[in-house]
Each structure stands twice: as structure tokens, then as C-alpha cells.
Amino acid sequence: MMELSLDTIRSAATAKGHRHGTDRLVPPRETFERVRPHFAEIGLTRVANVTGLDVLGIPVVLSVRPNSRSLAVHQGKGLTLDAARASCVMESLERWHAENMTLPLRLGTPREMAQQGQVLDLDRHELFQSHDFRDRRLLWVEGRELTGGARVWVPYNLVTMDFRCDGFDLLGHGTVPPWGNSNGLASGNHPMEALAHALCELVERDTFIRDSMQPVAPRNTMDLATVDDPACRQVLDVFLSAGLEVAVRDLTPDLGIPTFECSIGEDPRTSHSPLPVNTGWGTHLRREIALLRALTEAAQTRLTFISGARDDLPRNVYDSQRDKLRLTAKWNEMRKSSGTRAFHETPSHPHDTFEQDVLKIVDALRERGQSQIVVVDLTKPHIEIPVMKVLVPGLLAPME
């Protein structure tokens, strides 16, 4: 188990070596080459460039693991083809790690485990709030509390992505809640890179879930003319040149971590075979990267409907998007608000090291009241690519 605490993070400085369109330790091509030797072990049989299926030309790549224990098709996007390839194979790698956990397990009730050390705050975890598990025997895995480095016991089912026994826990105790999901699961070229990525994902998903729960969502629609970042401008110009309507909303939460929602769509009344309005989200300490992630994810979501390759989307999802009246209503909803918010109104925190990113997000979470931040290190020594699962009770997440 990785030794990790805020004291060790504060004393380190891992510089970001690649800053074009994303913050990484090394360029995307090097990341891809680090994963390539492990393709056979993780069951990755194909890396497919599907960019050409759409007219946009924004790079989207699929990686395929036919014998996956959860999701078989993973997607990656980016400003370049190398970035998209690295993105999808890293997602495949981290999923495989969570599907094939080899960490020691303990068996006990939450009450019993609390006698052996700290336990994840189940009372604040959304998946436990409607269930009483205090006297139920569960399997547990060891994590580390980020603020102090103390050992914390975490329910195994919150970490594993092995879904072969769907509806049952490993002890055959009958139906269990759908605990497992990839929220907070991340990999990187360095532990701090993986940790920063996981924390950003947790903030992003908590933010858009809270936004969706608002009776009337505040618009905060952006004036696209104020976006002056070259990379974001490049993608926006592609959308507009293709005749798409584009709406960007600034969802940045009280945490002050830049978060955007981007929706793109075409006029269903004039398109021969219209696609639904597609949406992407992005969160990062640098506002330009957060926006770029939202823009490219919207393009990736659009290609999901074109390719039909995702095995976690049932047929009814595609069928529901064939109704032109429904498509027109969504398109009109997207485009009815004029953008008034300027891009530079969104805060930005351009740090030079990954440790600074991690500390900024952790401080913001603690200030909000999310005091328990637990990291389960899934890294396998023979692969040596950091993979982590981060859990923060009190943050919301979509169910997969």
C-alpha cells in the first residue's frame, strides 16, 4: 500500500512535463508506449481510430477488451490522435486493475471493522444512506486517509469493477446495491498525476449531478466569442463550421474548481438523419483544460451514437433518440439562452506541479466539509503504472 499523506505531498514537487491541451508528466505518445507492452495481459485486442465516422474530425479512439469483467469498449478523446489513444488505453488499464484486484481482504461488519481502525464514513456515502449495513458482514479492503495517512477500511464492493456476479456479493449473500462504479478511478504516469485526475473526476461528477437536481438550473451560459484559448478556439471553430449549435455552461461549484458543460447539436428540421444533442463535461484546475475536456467529450459522445460501439448503452437508448419532435425540443432548449458569461470570469489555477493541484482540490473539499478523502492504491508492481481509486463520502456520483 502506497504511503500517502498531505505531509508527503507537500514535501514533493512533480513537475508537469507536457502542457499542451492537458497536464501530464510525459507526452501522450510516451504514455501509450508505456501501456502497449501490457495489452495482452489486460486483454486489450484492438485500438481503433473512429474519428472518420463523423464529419468533425476531432480525434476519438476506442480500445476493446472482449473478455472484460465490466465494460468492454473504452473511449478516449483529445486534441490530437496521440492524446485520444493514450486516453482510451489508460482507461482500459485502470478498469482492468479494478477488475483484477489482488489486495488482501478482511471480512466483518462495519461495527467490527471500526474496532480495528478507521472505517469509510458510510453514513455520508450516498449508496449506503437508504440501507442499514451496520450488522452485515462485508468484505473490506485497506485504503489510506489522504489528510493524515491513517489506514481506513473500505467496502470491497465500492472499489471492485468485477461484475461477473452481478446482484450478489462474493459471499453469496443475495442482492446488493450496485456499488461498483468507476467514479474516482484513475491512472497516470506518476501517482500524483493519477491522484489529481481522480480528484478532478470526483468534483466534475458531483457538480453536474447537483446541477441536474436543481428545479430550474441556473444557465451561466458562456459567450463563446470570449474564449481566447487557441486549443478551445480550434474545437469551437470545428463545431461552428460543421453547422452545429454550441452551448457552453459554466458549472464551476463553490469549490472554485473550473467545471464546464458543453452541448452540441444540429437542427433536426433540416438534417437528413439528425443526431441527438450531445453533452460533455470537463473539470480541471486550468480553465482552458476544463473547457477543452468538455468540448472534446461532447464530440466523443456524438461519435458514441454514430458508432454504436459502447456495450453499456442498450438499444432503447438509441431508439429514444429517433423521435424528431423530441430531438427538436432538446435542440430548442439548448439554443434558447444567449451567452453572457465571459470565459475569463471562471477562476483558474495554473500550477507547475501535480502536488499543487492535489493540495488545491483537497483544501477546497475540506473547506466544504468533505473531510475524509480515502485512496486505495491498485497499482500492480510488475506493471508499474499508478492506478488509484479515490473515495470522498458526501460527494455525489452517477450510477453506471
Side-chain angles (χ1 to χ4, degrees):
M1 179 67 64
M2 175 185 60
E3 293 297 328
L4 188 65
S5 69
L6 291 186
D7 288 338
T8 60
I9 293 174
R10 288 192 181 97
S11 63
T14 306
K16 301 172 181 178
H18 179 83
R19 309 292 301 267
H20 179 56
T22 185
D23 283 350
R24 298 295 181 190
L25 184 71
V26 298
R29 182 183 292 270
E30 186 173 337
T31 298
F32 180 83
E33 293 302 330
R34 288 184 177 186
V35 181
R36 188 200 289 269
H38 307 289
F39 280 7
E41 182 175 2
I42 69 175
L44 203 166
T45 61
R46 185 182 183 194
V47 179
N49 177 11
V50 296
T51 308
L53 296 179
D54 196 1
V55 298
L56 298 178
I58 296 171
V60 176
V61 178
L62 306 180
S63 55
V64 183
R65 295 186 304 128
N67 291 321
S68 167
R69 296 175 180 178
S70 59
L71 189 62
V73 178
H74 308 272
Q75 295 176 297
K77 78 283 185 187
L79 195 60
T80 66
L81 186 59
D82 282 340
R85 288 199 309 165
S87 175
C88 71
V89 300
M90 289 293 270
E91 183 173 307
S92 290
L93 181 79
E94 64 201 33
R95 282 271 187 154
W96 178 83
H97 277 72
E99 294 168 359
N100 296 272
M101 292 173 56
T102 54
L103 296 174
L105 301 178
R106 288 283 191 91
L107 176 63
T109 67
R111 296 181 194 272
E112 292 170 342
M113 299 308 295
Q115 297 173 2
Q116 304 179 37
Q118 292 189 37
V119 174
L120 189 74
D121 188 353
L122 303 185
D123 290 335
R124 296 194 65 191
H125 198 290
E126 60 173 331
L127 296 178
F128 287 85
Q129 290 176 353
S130 59
H131 303 272
D132 187 356
F133 287 94
R134 286 171 294 183
D135 295 311
R136 178 167 173 179
R137 300 176 78 206
L138 305 172
L139 286 171
W140 301 79
V141 65
E142 182 182 310
R144 294 288 177 179
E145 217 294 313
L146 191 59
T147 57
R151 180 175 66 181
V152 179
W153 293 108
V154 177
Y156 169 79
N157 290 82
L158 286 179
V159 182
T160 183
M161 294 293 291
D162 185 351
F163 296 159
R164 290 176 299 173
C165 299
D166 187 31
F168 291 84
D169 63 21
L170 291 185
L171 302 177
H173 283 161
T175 302
V176 297
W179 297 350
N181 61 65
S182 64
N183 195 39
L185 177 66
S187 55
N189 298 283
H190 185 277
M192 289 298 103
E193 180 183 306
L195 185 54
H197 180 70
L199 289 168
C200 281
E201 181 174 83
L202 287 167
V203 170
E204 174 191 305
R205 295 184 174 183
D206 175 76
T207 300
F208 79 70
I209 290 295
R210 291 181 189 276
D211 178 75
S212 68
M213 294 168 62
Q214 299 295 322
V216 179
R219 298 307 301 174
N220 286 334
T221 306
M222 184 177 298
D223 179 357
L224 299 181
T226 67
V227 178
D228 56 359
D229 175 69
C232 294
R233 191 75 257 165
Q234 176 184 333
V235 178
L236 282 170
D237 290 345
V238 167
F239 289 158
L240 298 174
S241 297
L244 300 182
E245 192 77 28
V246 185
V248 173
R249 295 175 58 217
D250 184 350
L251 302 183
T252 302
D254 58 326
L255 300 170
I257 311 301
T259 302
F260 295 98
E261 174 194 83
C262 173
S263 298
I264 57 175
E266 55 199 30
D267 190 342
R269 300 167 299 180
T270 58
S271 175
H272 172 68
S273 182
L275 290 166
V277 171
N278 288 290
T279 303
W281 293 269
T283 296
H284 195 272
L285 273 299
R286 289 166 60 192
R287 62 172 167 252
E288 62 269 27
I289 295 181
L291 178 56
L292 184 63
R293 286 181 174 179
L295 296 172
T296 54
E297 185 171 277
Q300 174 185 282
T301 306
R302 177 179 158 96
L303 253 170
T304 299
F305 279 89
I306 294 174
S307 68
R310 283 288 291 262
D311 52 307
D312 60 342
L313 294 179
R315 179 167 182 161
N316 67 296
V317 172
Y318 296 98
D319 288 342
S320 68
Q321 304 298 333
R322 298 170 62 125
D323 183 345
K324 278 202 172 186
L325 289 177
R326 179 176 178 175
L327 293 180
T328 302
K330 286 189 173 182
W331 184 74
N332 285 328
E333 174 67 23
M334 179 194 69
R335 63 192 292 268
K336 71 180 182 181
S337 296
S338 58
T340 58
R341 186 172 178 84
F343 180 51
H344 287 281
E345 291 182 56
T346 303
S348 192
H349 315 281
H351 299 142
D352 294 325
T353 71
F354 292 108
E355 285 82 2
Q356 289 173 302
D357 282 358
V358 170
L359 291 171
K360 175 65 178 178
I361 300 174
V362 168
D363 287 345
L365 289 171
R366 294 173 71 185
E367 186 174 341
R368 186 204 259 182
Q370 267 93 33
S371 57
Q372 192 180 54
I373 303 172
V374 180
V375 181
V376 180
D377 187 0
L378 303 179
T379 308
K380 295 186 180 294
H382 72 286
I383 293 181
E384 295 185 323
I385 297 176
V387 178
M388 300 180 189
K389 172 73 173 186
V390 182
L391 302 103
V392 182
L395 293 185
L396 304 179
M399 295 307 303
E400 296 186 355

